[in-house]
Amino acid sequence: MRNILDLEGRLVGEAPIDIDTTRRLYRAMVEARAYDKKGTTLQRQGRLATYAPLLGQEAAQVGSAAALDPNDWMVATYRDAAAMWMQGYPWEVLFLSRSGDERGGRPPVHVDVLPPSITVGAHMIHAVGIAWAEKLLGTSRIAITYFGDGATSEGDFHEAMNFAGVFKTPTVFLCQNNGYAISMPRERQTASATIAQKADAYGMAGEQVDGNDLFAVYAATKEAADRARAGDGATLIEAVTYRIGPHTTNDDPGRYRDPEEERAAHDRDPVERVRRYLENEGAWDGDWEETVQAKAATTIERAVELAESLDSPSPADIYGAVYEEMSPDLRRQLEGIES
């Protein structure tokens, strides 16, 4: 397993980014955590429909997204808000998607990030199709897709990996192995020693990295993206991390997890690891931390205000969004509602 930054924030390999970039990504991880805490709070207050926390997976998402070009495609899931935001999906639109508002699936037109997938695994096929299209067009753009360890037990995983291997599509498969598919532990899903080694069966590169190590995730993703851009095909990255929170706000992990396991996961906190590194390098102090935390809180509160300030969609908005031209049957239904 690739590891560059140990638990105490000390380098055990070569840092792939400079101090200024590390500080920028640390701020991004702090902001992602502020979003995550706010998301859970809003759901408890009945202001979001449901919420899937990403607590503990900030390095896997921020580190991988930071290694992409701005115009690369991203196809992710309901738990990948930090990665999607890094690639341009606004926080307020992400909050909208969690509230059940369909406008949450409509990022700005210049953002090539698909709406968060709810169906487990099916979106990987979309990423491969997009990557194949870019290859046929002769561009240098690639597609990255995010999924959990549970998705690798789905048939869609096989179809996506097989097609990507045969046609050498410029795709990066980023598996966040957080230990559980809802309540099913990873060892009950697959007898494979690692998820990364499944890449061998599809004729593509595969690597297991410490998913709580910002540097290791960044370096592995950058190499995979460069490989894809060079025409050398897809890569499967297994980022080993841990889902500290519940599967969703409707889940109680206390029914299937040992509390000691969760406590140990806090010792591997990816945000704290980078903070220690910056402190060791003389690039962190308490005043700066307060500034970072305050800005993150302000940004997230503003995103909530923006999301909740939108007028509710009208029946005409809903019916008009189904087809380019409204069918006679839908028009009759709309007229019935509006009469």
Side-chain angles (χ1 to χ4, degrees), residues 282-305:
W284 178 95
D285 61 40
D287 291 341
W288 184 68
E289 178 70 21
E290 287 185 12
T291 302
V292 169
Q293 294 285 349
K295 184 178 183 304
T298 301
T299 299
I300 297 305
E301 289 298 333
R302 178 58 180 159
V304 174
E305 291 176 9

Side-chain angles (χ1 to χ4, degrees), residues 79-230:
R79 200 186 305 283
D80 301 321
M84 295 172 68
W85 167 69
M86 287 286 291
Q87 200 65 359
Y89 213 102
W91 287 130
E92 58 269 25
V93 184
L94 287 160
F95 276 129
L96 276 176
S97 71
R98 272 59 173 173
S99 71
D101 191 316
E102 290 297 326
R103 290 171 292 187
R106 194 171 60 194
V109 292
H110 65 279
V111 175
D112 289 325
V113 179
L114 269 60
S117 176
I118 305 301
T119 305
V120 175
H123 63 293
M124 290 184 276
I125 295 172
H126 302 161
V128 173
I130 290 169
W132 191 35
E134 294 294 349
K135 179 177 180 177
L136 294 176
L137 290 169
T139 77
S140 62
R141 302 174 72 188
I142 69 165
I144 188 171
T145 182
Y146 292 81
F147 51 94
D149 44 297
T152 65
S153 298
E154 297 283 350
D156 295 320
F157 172 76
H158 164 70
E159 294 178 25
M161 293 282 289
N162 191 59
F163 195 102
V166 170
F167 291 94
K168 290 190 176 300
T169 66
T171 314
V172 177
F173 294 86
L174 200 296
C175 175
Q176 293 173 85
N177 174 7
N178 66 17
Y180 290 89
I182 306 181
S183 58
M184 181 70 73
R186 175 250 184 262
E187 60 271 18
R188 293 288 304 279
Q189 294 182 58
T190 176
S192 181
T194 73
I195 290 172
Q197 72 185 57
K198 295 187 178 186
D200 292 343
Y202 299 99
M204 68 174 69
E207 182 178 9
Q208 186 183 60
V209 303
D210 181 344
N212 284 17
D213 180 342
L214 180 75
F215 289 169
V217 174
Y218 177 91
T221 309
K222 184 67 168 60
E223 291 173 11
D226 290 346
R227 185 180 302 117
R229 257 182 263 283

Side-chain angles (χ1 to χ4, degrees), residues 1 5 44 52 85 90 163 168 201 203 238 244 255 260 311:
M1 183 189 306
L5 203 58
R44 298 303 188 204
W85 167 69
F163 195 102
K168 290 190 176 300
E238 177 189 3
I244 294 177
R255 300 179 64 183
E260 177 58 25
D311 293 333

Side-chain angles (χ1 to χ4, degrees), residues 19-32:
I19 289 295
D20 287 343
T21 306
T22 305
R23 280 164 60 95
R24 177 173 64 81
L25 297 187
Y26 176 76
R27 291 195 297 268
M29 294 169 74
V30 169
E31 194 162 312

